[in-house]
Amino acid sequence: QVLVTMAPRYAAATAAILAATLAGVASFAPQHSAFAPKTVSTHNHNHNFNKNNHNDLFGTAKSAFFQSNDAVSASSDTALWAATLDGAATQTVEDYVKARGGNRVIKKVLIANNGMAATKSILSMRQWAYMEFGDERAIQFVAMATPEDLKANAEFIRLADSFVEVPGGKNLNNYANVDVICKVAQEQGVDAVWPGWGHASENPKLPNTLDELGIKFIGPTGPVMSVLGDKIAANILAQTAKVPSIPWSGSYGGPDDGPLEANLNAEGTIPDEIFEKATCRNVEEAVEAAKRVGYENGIMIKASEGGGGKGIRFVDNEADLRNAYVQVTNEVVGSPIFIMQLCKNARHIEVQIVGDQHGNAVALNGRDCSTQRRFQKIFEEGPPAIVPKDTFHEMELAAQRLTQSIGYQGAGTVEYLYNADTNSYFFLELNPRLQVEHPVTEGITGVNLPATQLQVAMGIPLYEIPQVRQLYDKPDTYGTEKIDFLAERYRDIDSHVIAARITAENPDEGFKPTSGSIERIKFQSTPNVWGYFSVGANGGIHEFADSQFGHLFAKGPNREQARKALVLALKEMEVRGNIRNSVEYLVKLLETEDFKNNAIDTSWLDGLIREKAVAVEMPSHLVVVSAAIFKAFEHVKTATEEVKESFRKGQVSTGGIPGINSFNTEVAYLDTKYSFHVERISPDVYRFALGGNKIDVEVTQTAEGALLATFGGETHRIFGMDEPLGLRLSLDGNTILMPTIFDPSELRTDVTGKVVRYLQDNGAPVEAGQPYVEVEAMKMIMPLKATESGKISHNLSPGTVIGAGDLLATLELKDPSKVKKIDNFDGMLDIPEAAVDIAPTSAVTNVLSGFNLDPEAVAQKALDAVSDADAAAELLIKSINEFYRVESLFDGQIKDDVVRTLTKGNADNLDVVIAENLAHQKLAMRSQLILAMIRQVDTFKDRFGSDVPDEVITALDSLTQLKGKDYGEIILAAEEKVRNAKVPSFDVRRADLRSKLTDSDTDLVELSRSSTLSAGVDLLTNLLDDEDESVRASAMETFVRRVYRTYSVPKLNVETLDGRLSCSFEFEFADVPKADRVTRNGFFSVIEDAGKFAQELPVILNAYGSKLSGDASKDGPINVLQIGAISGDSDIADLENALAANQAKLNMLGIRTVTVLITKGSKDPTYYTFPQCDGFKEDPLRRGMRPTFHHLLELGRLGENYNLERIPAVGRNVQIYVGTEKTVKRNAAQVVFVRGVTHTPGLVTFSGARRALLQGLDELERAQSNSKVTLQSSSRIYLHSLPELTGATPEEIANNFYDVVDKLKSRLAQRLLKLRVDEIEAKVRVTSTDEDGNPMVVPVRLVASSMEGEWLKSAAYIERPD
């Protein structure tokens, strides 16, 4: 990514050079060396380099730091052209140095650093080289690489032209080892060494030794570095120059016991005796100095050679000081230590300075670095908006005078503490090096700082460096006239940059460093934000590296716009690997009101961390379910691979296959354990059950490995990694550590590093929360605290290398009873239960594949979802064929032989072997699905109005070829349907029925009672307009007798009245003794056109009246009227209006109900019922019902007690209602009523009862998908058997019923419970005689009910109708 540009037209060129840089680098000829050099090329050299990861790291070559937003393609055919400023000719490095007044040509540079520093320096100097010379290779870069950096796929190694492998481990072995650096520099023949920051960058020995070797050090000279690089010496110099200083250990011992002052000696250093007065050589001297400084504001213990947050501690009492002193000395070994008072409410303000070899010093504005934790910067921004311009200019001039007076060369930073309330500032220190946040300055000034360092090292005066001249608005960018940097001021800064450090630290644990691999960094540059990273994909952060691995820079016209741009960039960023990072925490910090209002100081962030005021909170149950999802997904992968591996070894066991789809998983979070049972209900849908919770989750894995999980009506992005201490979960960009439940007596480390020292003796007591050991991690010394109280036993020795999860010590617990306990969760999860939408046909496929779904429900929904008979037939055929295909592999075969054959034939795709075995192992569930589908063959006519296609029968016939006893029920069901499903066509059935009606031997009474007529009842209405009058009459008589078959019909007469076929009849209840029966009258008349109902009705009523004698209404409305229309149609409103116009006549005739039926050709007729009790308004609950259905289903009694709403049913003789009790005013429980009649005898036998009950359960199953049915509704089934039973007493029927119910409960318990069936009623009719010997019917009501507490308790009653 481009770091800085110099003119609008060079954006394209800059992008082009970076495209070439990132695409690959030229080879570098190897040289003889004790450290064998390596050439960096597109090959990995067995060091796991990733040459194609630059797009992931840097995004597009487009940046806020372009002065133009020209979009550039980074393709291979991009032409590289020499972009120069103001027409300057393309030239060599030698020409450039000579033309710009320099005295040394540098063309080969050793980068004596790693990580961020090395990466940024190469990128910056490469960009400058191309912009000046048209050749990004004008300067060659040699990198030093440790084995750890090579293993971590460090980005800087890929960017360099060559690298030399150096010893690993601590930086004292490599990047901080002056001897190693100088040896490599000499043997590689470099012209200069760039030290970067940290490591050896502030060691005066390095420039001194290089100078002796004739190699240029890109930075200040040794003596100057010695003075200014040492914080103690720098403060003494500042005091000598009368720069305000904070009280510190050097504030005493000078003239009149005042601040120490010193003049430089001949070697250019502070006299030792004065230096020693400011130094605390041991802890006692530190305690004494702290007493003089005072603890009131707090004390800082600082290592003079420290930096970057290392070698610095804050204390406010003597006891902590003594402990912290040891930590600082261990963290920066050998460094002098000094004491300084904490400056409260202070801002950390920096001035960026550069000095040259000619006595010039320029201030390139500065930065505000006040957002710090443990004195390590988090955000840096520039310019420092909090400081008034005039005050900041004074700070710049003071920094220039200080550095100029001692001949400082190179880039450096003068740091101040600034109090905004008093507008006062105090000298803090001078860093004689470039700092990691220097791109902030580059962004606001346009000056490429690493390139400026290089030019200063070449001896070029500052005023001849083109970018510096641009900053000072010099018209001649390549001019040579001098600039008085102390007198002249650079142009106004018109932008703001905020930087965020991306670190491998855990913000939940006080920013504790972490180390480990990094799989991927997802970051996309925008026109306002860019970033660079020290690691690539499949890289990592090792324990000897700095914790920072990335830096983002956001630019805007003002601070607020820059802040918003940075927030958006961080929200889109994703770091994946086994490290923690601070990205989501940074977003929270940027969105605090204090940061927005720039109302912060150096203690602000530490205060937030201490109080845990800023935290990335995620709902605990969302975290738990997400963790369970990740664990379940990983379980499936692992279990699948284990089975495959066993197959590869020639093993034939399939015992591990069921565990792929059905298993348990546990999640522990916030002292609670959640034990889930998981069922896969499709390849990508998991069902999690926990107590009363049921959550369906659809899981998709993205190309980069993240899981997209949809549940509770939302989609979440999940990534996890199992670590020694638990599961680290990334949920929607937020990181959560879910610790493994350990023994509380075990003290384990959560960092990688080494043990420095134990803080208590073996066997000594330690309290919970008290530090018990100090460890070194990522070059930091940090204490680890005990989680419980007790006597400690050390498990390791100081110096032992440790990894996360290692046991450091054990405790003999002080009070085991007080140890925090883990509770099992038994409540309701705060996750909405939102079902995953699985397409019905997909659900069928899933069941047939062995995934755990309810097969009965799946069958119902699948057939409900199809639109026509063809689609239904296709579904049935595919399902049956798939079932047969799998089972034919195993039928009659030895399972082990089948597995061997499948494995051999699918060696390259063992998933097939698993899939076939999984399906077969779920034979019972798959059989239920096929049986449910076979039963639906009977509903074809009712559903689609057409016959079952022959192809379905052929598929069913294939099932009869199976031999195994496990297939017995399916074979029987298929054979029955093959025999019975070939129902003749409508025309054939009509002709057959007509033939029966014309046959003189046909007994119409017996025909009306025949069970074979069940499918032809409505067919009779199609013969009411037959050309043969006798057929018409017989059809009408049979229809009436069939509809009223449960009644006694003593009188019936069919005739033609006024050209209309009519039937007058009398009927009585057959279950009442003859002496008590009330005779009721019925009249059925047929008209040609339903549209003429209104004009025909008065005539029909007159004809009806002529058939009645006496007062027809004396017994109340007990008579019925039916009117059939051969053709046409009529609105219900028109029918109601016609009835209303004749209501008086209807009442006079004592008519209880009027039923209108309209024939529909080959389709079933439509029925409309108009009851007198509703004022002859149509009753929607009875629509489509034959005249007596309402009574047979006992809907009158049901309607008295419940508010009913009818929902669709499949069976012609079945109705379904949703009801709530009328007596309950609020929150009435819902009941689903399935009520049907059957003309088939045998309801009291087990097979007949099972068949009827299964049909009822199928209807219930279908009803569950209706939106009007709640999940809490109960269900009741009522079946009325119309055929009269003979040869058995009610007692015998009851006893048989008890046995049948027990068997049904055993066989169908799971389904009955699932559908919440709490009552089953069957009404049967037993032939008998009354007291006078007259035939009558005795109704026997058989009930299995849960109303009294016992589940489906059986009872039987003889009814005595009133």
Side-chain angles (χ1 to χ4, degrees), residues 425-488:
Y425 59 92
F426 305 94
F427 177 80
L428 182 60
E429 62 186 17
L430 190 152
N431 283 309
R433 56 175 171 79
L434 197 61
Q435 291 189 276
V436 66
E437 63 268 24
H438 72 270
V440 172
T441 298
E442 292 179 328
I444 60 176
T445 64
V447 177
N448 183 331
L449 283 171
T452 300
Q453 284 183 291
L454 180 63
Q455 292 173 81
V456 167
M458 292 178 178
I460 297 173
L462 283 167
Y463 54 79
E464 291 202 35
I465 294 177
Q467 289 179 332
V468 175
R469 296 183 66 81
Q470 275 191 320
L471 179 64
Y472 277 80
D473 274 340
K474 297 302 177 182
D476 185 2
T477 304
Y478 282 84
T480 58
E481 71 275 12
K482 292 186 177 182
I483 300 174
D484 186 347
F485 294 112
L486 290 174
E488 296 185 48

Side-chain angles (χ1 to χ4, degrees), residues 995-1028:
S995 175
K996 290 180 180 178
L997 295 178
T998 57
D999 188 343
S1000 59
D1001 294 332
T1002 300
D1003 184 333
L1004 297 183
V1005 174
E1006 290 300 320
L1007 179 61
S1008 69
R1009 293 175 174 271
S1010 171
S1011 61
T1012 62
L1013 186 61
S1014 178
V1017 178
D1018 294 314
L1019 187 61
L1020 289 166
T1021 63
N1022 202 263
L1023 294 172
L1024 295 178
D1025 64 341
D1026 191 89
E1027 59 190 19
D1028 187 329

Side-chain angles (χ1 to χ4, degrees), residues 579-654:
I579 62 164
R580 291 297 306 273
N581 67 81
S582 56
V583 172
E584 58 260 32
Y585 192 87
L586 299 182
V587 173
K588 295 292 184 181
L589 288 179
L590 287 166
E591 292 185 324
T592 60
E593 290 302 314
D594 283 343
F595 191 90
K596 289 180 182 179
N597 298 328
N598 204 9
I600 59 176
D601 57 38
T602 54
S603 64
W604 171 70
L605 180 52
D606 282 325
L608 294 181
I609 295 172
R610 185 170 54 253
E611 299 168 8
K612 297 187 180 297
V614 174
V616 181
E617 296 290 343
M618 296 294 288
S620 61
H621 289 175
L622 176 61
V623 172
V624 167
V625 173
S626 298
I629 292 167
F630 172 76
K631 286 191 164 192
F633 189 85
E634 289 299 303
H635 167 87
V636 170
K637 286 202 304 185
T638 302
T640 301
E641 185 54 37
E642 287 174 355
V643 174
K644 288 182 182 178
E645 186 59 27
S646 72
F647 289 158
R648 294 187 190 106
K649 294 176 180 177
Q651 298 170 358
V652 294
S653 172
T654 58

Side-chain angles (χ1 to χ4, degrees), residues 77 316 377 395 401 407 500 514 883 1018:
D77 59 354
D316 58 9
K377 300 159 189 173
M395 298 165 76
R401 286 193 299 268
T514 65
F883 178 88
D1018 294 314

Side-chain angles (χ1 to χ4, degrees), residues 184-231:
V184 172
Q186 188 175 25
E187 292 184 349
Q188 294 298 310
V190 300
D191 302 315
V193 173
W194 186 85
W197 48 84
H199 298 310
S201 63
E202 296 181 56
N203 188 343
K205 181 182 176 183
L206 181 58
N208 290 338
T209 305
L210 289 173
D211 187 54
E212 293 172 3
L213 296 174
I215 299 172
K216 182 65 178 176
F217 176 79
I218 302 178
T221 60
V224 170
M225 179 185 289
S226 178
V227 174
L228 290 182
D230 187 286
K231 294 174 175 61

